[in-house]
Amino acid sequence: VGGVAGGASCAARLRRLDESAEITIIERGAFVSFANCGLPYAVSGVIASDKSLVVATPEMFKLRFNVNVRCYTEAVGIDRERKVLHVRPASGEGEAEELPYDYLVLSPGAAPIKPPLPGMDAEGVFSVRTIPDMQQIKSWIRVHNAKRAVVVGGGFIGLELCENFVKLGLHTTVVEMLNHVMPPLDEDLAALIAIAMRKAGVELVLSDGLSKIEQKAAVEDEETTLCVHTQSGKQLPADMVILAIGVRPESTLAREAGLDLAPRGAIRVSDQMRTSDPSIFAIGDAVETTNIVTGQPMNLALAGPANRQARVAAEAICGLSRAFRGVQGTAVCGLFGYTIAMTGCSYGFLQRSGFAELDDVAVVQLHPGHHVTYYPGAHAIHMKLVFNRKTGRILGLQAVGKEGVEKRVDVVAMAIQLGGTVHDIAEAELCYAPQFGAAKDPVNLAGMLASNVVDGVVELSDWERVIGERIVASKGVAGEGKEEAKGEEATVAGEAEAYVAHAETDVVLDVREPNEYEFGEIHGATTIPLCDLREQMGKLPKDKTVHVLCKEGQRAYYAARVLMQNGYKAKLLSGGMTTLLMHEGKQIPLYQTPKPGIDPPNTKITPVYE
């Protein structure tokens, strides 16, 4: 029941394993197997032909696999006792009929969330799930000469559509309930995407939700087809609206059949994809499986796991004993010149999920080039590696950059799958030539930095505790002498006082060169360039913790090791000033760190900004 990634793959695998089986696919739509991940790119014409999205037709299934495909047919009920599936024409017209089964595989997918708000069914309001959905959007843009689009939801699909609307010349606004786009990403990495989006002319409405949609409203003296009202009171003119808030499992058929469901509606299955009825299997976006990092149940709507689950279910039906191992959320997305990739869990996700080992979780941040910097065209990869500081077990990786991002995440994804540690990726033997990487690949560097933490070679500072308060203190100092106002300014003043008290036990040491300070400074930090540290470390107190930073972290690590071996309690602010600028949502200056003996002192630095 259901084609696309899960059902179609399961049927094809079944046939390869059993030539004698009678196999039927029930699909309520027009297309039994299509590339739904390509839909946003077909909207703009990047994928020129809609036919390119069709992976297999009913005719192909019949001729190649002897599989019967019944499109425009909807499954409406399951008689588990008689082992009969009730189906009818998807149009609702015509007679219902019964299809007997020995085994039934449910692959209903997930449906776009449509909140119960006014205007969700208005003309010009769309969700994107199928080829007809995409075709309706293309037609609407052409027929109505659309100039403005509002995308509600800043996740994968919403942002991919946003980028493709921009390519078509539409003024596009994204409304996102969270305070940053791309919710699976941490806020600092997502800030890079937000900067690129604003550069492309996209309007971002963050920390705000949808309230209602009105038709044919006038906003700012401009006649528009629609008006999107947000919870904060904003009114956004639009010729079309995309609802990309998220998806929910389509489990109505399973629920009505009495199969076990998870609290949020996903179908519960075994590691062989069996439901609570041993003759019924379920696969894809509608099922609950296990997160292999946390060991907790999880519903994950991704094509890769759906295909693998389809294979497992087919093999179980044919008597093989393969088990589905679970999911880890490996994903990639290309947006506005950046590649965004992730695998495993972020620290924030572990916090929200109540991860049992949370007290032992650490995060290192680094910004290596995707290949050696002396070879032209190197771009930074901004990486966050999450791991257990006691065991070294890798828990997750997020990365954002212009090139070489996804292959680094794929390496770490395999390490997580095999239960690998940071020592494993530190020692990984990976491809190297100047135009492809470095002798110490970004994956190696992430593992080495994390290994230093696990081995006790260096300790990590808490960015938000140490630097966050100092940033606020800087704002407070700027406002000294002014009458304390209510609201936000009062909060700033209070946090500045917290900083002053905290400064009694901590010092921030900036070991960059003076000609780098123009790219960002920290109020109250002690500045000693790394090359002068051995001579000037006496300026630092030994009764306080010294938190060390530089541009990206390498020199700060060197400095921390010098200080630790001279009786100081030093900690590393991982990722350096680059990480801090990302936290603040600022552009990242790219420049070569001055090299003693090569670059004259105080050489003027001319950065390139991402």
Side-chain angles (χ1 to χ4, degrees):
V1 177
V4 199
S9 295
C10 185
R13 180 62 173 168
L14 277 165
R15 173 57 72 225
R16 290 192 293 270
L17 294 176
D18 187 346
E19 181 61 23
S20 65
E22 180 184 341
I23 305 169
T24 303
I25 300 176
I26 302 299
E27 169 57 50
R28 67 184 169 194
F31 301 93
V32 65
S33 181
F34 65 94
N36 49 3
C37 296
L39 294 175
Y41 305 97
V43 169
S44 67
V46 171
I47 297 175
S49 171
D50 296 352
K51 294 180 181 178
S52 300
L53 298 173
V54 178
V55 178
T57 62
E59 293 79 9
M60 182 186 295
F61 266 105
K62 186 61 178 178
L63 293 172
R64 287 189 180 178
F65 301 109
N66 192 25
V67 169
N68 301 309
V69 176
R70 297 181 57 172
C71 289
Y72 302 110
T73 303
E74 184 175 11
V76 294
I78 304 170
D79 186 333
R80 291 167 54 189
E81 185 174 347
R82 295 173 54 221
K83 285 193 171 184
V84 166
L85 178 71
H86 298 276
V87 301
R88 70 180 180 194
S91 63
E93 301 176 357
E95 294 293 323
E97 61 179 299
E98 296 182 346
L99 299 179
Y101 66 83
D102 296 304
Y103 293 101
L104 180 64
V105 180
L106 304 179
S107 181
I113 293 173
K114 185 180 288 188
L117 298 172
M120 297 303 102
D121 294 319
E123 288 190 354
V125 179
F126 302 95
S127 296
V128 184
R129 184 185 185 188
T130 65
I131 289 178
D133 293 338
M134 175 271 295
Q135 292 171 332
Q136 287 176 11
I137 293 171
K138 289 173 66 175
S139 174
W140 183 272
I141 293 171
R142 182 181 65 257
V143 171
H144 295 269
N145 193 26
K147 295 290 190 292
R148 292 173 176 259
V150 172
V151 178
V152 183
F156 284 93
I157 296 297
L159 296 192
E160 287 173 344
L161 279 166
C162 169
E163 181 181 41
N164 284 280
F165 287 154
V166 169
K167 289 177 180 177
L168 290 173
L170 275 67
H171 178 277
T172 306
T173 301
V174 174
V175 179
E176 170 54 50
M177 181 73 79
L178 296 183
N179 63 353
H180 63 88
V181 295
M182 194 55 72
L185 272 185
D186 285 343
E187 183 179 353
D188 52 349
L189 292 174
L192 296 172
I193 311 306
I195 290 171
M197 293 177 69
R198 291 189 174 105
K199 273 188 176 182
V202 177
E203 180 182 353
L204 296 180
V205 178
L206 304 177
S207 302
D208 205 351
L210 178 64
S211 174
K212 65 179 179 179
I213 299 174
E214 287 184 337
Q215 277 189 294
K216 299 185 183 302
V219 180
E220 298 177 356
D221 300 322
E222 181 179 351
E223 289 293 333
T224 59
T225 306
L226 300 162
C227 179
V228 176
H229 294 254
T230 71
Q231 293 174 1
S232 71
K234 289 185 175 67
Q235 297 183 34
L236 307 173
D239 299 313
M240 59 185 302
V241 178
I242 301 295
L243 298 179
I245 299 169
V247 296
R248 62 165 56 95
E250 281 225 46
S251 53
T252 302
L253 188 65
R255 178 184 294 107
E256 292 177 352
L259 300 178
D260 287 351
L261 302 182
R264 295 190 176 184
I267 305 170
R268 285 191 165 137
V269 292
S270 69
D271 60 4
Q272 288 195 319
M273 311 313 297
R274 291 182 192 269
T275 67
S276 52
D277 184 323
S279 297
I280 302 177
F281 293 74
I283 56 179
D285 297 352
V287 307
E288 180 185 72
T289 183
T290 301
N291 183 315
I292 67 168
V293 175
T294 65
Q296 298 172 347
M298 182 181 192
N299 170 236
L300 183 68
L302 287 175
N307 274 279
R308 295 193 298 277
Q309 291 164 4
R311 188 179 179 92
V312 169
E315 292 175 355
I317 290 171
C318 293
L320 301 180
S321 59
R322 192 183 308 276
F324 185 69
R325 63 176 184 84
V327 296
Q328 61 195 72
T330 304
V332 65
C333 183
L335 291 171
F336 297 94
Y338 280 100
T339 300
I340 305 153
M342 62 199 74
T343 187
C345 301
S346 68
Y347 183 80
F349 180 88
L350 294 174
Q351 278 184 311
R352 294 189 298 272
S353 65
F355 186 52
E357 303 169 15
L358 190 63
D359 291 344
D360 298 328
V361 174
V363 182
V364 292
Q365 298 181 244
L366 62 160
H367 313 277
H370 86 283
H371 61 56
V372 291
T373 54
Y374 64 77
Y375 189 89
H379 295 286
I381 302 178
H382 307 285
M383 305 171 69
K384 296 184 77 170
L385 182 70
V386 186
F387 61 99
N388 184 305
R389 72 174 77 238
K390 290 184 177 179
T391 66
R393 180 191 173 207
I394 304 169
L395 304 174
L397 175 68
Q398 297 183 339
V400 174
K402 298 293 182 78
E403 292 187 49
V405 176
E406 71 287 350
K407 72 176 184 178
R408 270 69 188 212
V409 173
D410 282 341
V411 170
V412 176
M414 180 53 68
I416 291 175
Q417 179 176 333
L418 298 176
T421 69
V422 296
H423 297 97
D424 292 321
I425 60 172
E427 299 170 8
E429 185 174 335
L430 304 173
C431 293
Y432 164 58
Q435 64 269 48
F436 299 109
K440 293 179 182 176
D441 189 84
V443 170
N444 297 137
L445 290 174
M448 291 172 182
L449 181 52
S451 294
N452 284 333
V453 177
V454 174
D455 296 340
V457 174
V458 72
E459 291 187 59
L460 297 175
S461 301
D462 183 335
W463 264 106
E464 293 185 5
R465 188 178 69 86
V466 177
I467 296 299
E469 291 173 352
R470 287 178 179 266
I471 296 168
V472 173
S474 177
K475 295 176 182 176
V477 170
E480 281 182 352
K482 295 183 179 180
E483 185 176 348
E484 183 171 302
K486 295 181 181 180
E488 184 179 348
E489 291 185 16
T491 302
V492 168
E495 290 181 344
E497 292 173 4
Y499 155 71
V500 172
H502 188 66
E504 295 177 1
T505 57
D506 293 273
V507 171
V508 172
L509 173 63
D510 186 344
V511 297
R512 294 175 300 158
E513 297 296 319
N515 54 354
E516 298 178 79
Y517 299 158
E518 64 180 289
F519 307 118
E521 293 187 75
I522 298 174
H523 174 72
T526 300
T527 57
I528 303 175
L530 175 62
C531 295
D532 300 329
L533 183 60
R534 290 179 177 84
E535 294 180 1
Q536 299 185 28
M537 73 174 72
K539 298 179 181 179
L540 300 170
K542 287 194 173 181
D543 60 342
K544 295 184 178 182
T545 300
V546 180
H547 304 274
V548 193
L549 90 158
C550 60
K551 176 194 172 193
E552 295 177 350
Q554 187 180 60
R555 285 172 290 170
Y557 166 63
Y558 298 158
R561 288 300 301 154
V562 170
L563 293 172
M564 291 170 69
Q565 293 176 81
N566 280 276
Y568 292 87
K569 185 177 181 181
K571 292 186 177 182
L572 176 66
L573 283 161
S574 175
M577 184 59 67
T578 299
T579 290
L580 177 56
L581 292 174
M582 288 167 54
H583 272 285
E584 294 183 302
K586 295 182 178 179
Q587 286 185 283
I588 308 301
L590 303 178
Y591 61 89
Q592 287 283 351
T593 299
K595 297 178 181 179
I598 297 178
D599 301 311
N602 297 318
T603 300
K604 177 65 176 178
I605 296 174
T606 305
V608 175
Y609 287 89
E610 287 193 357

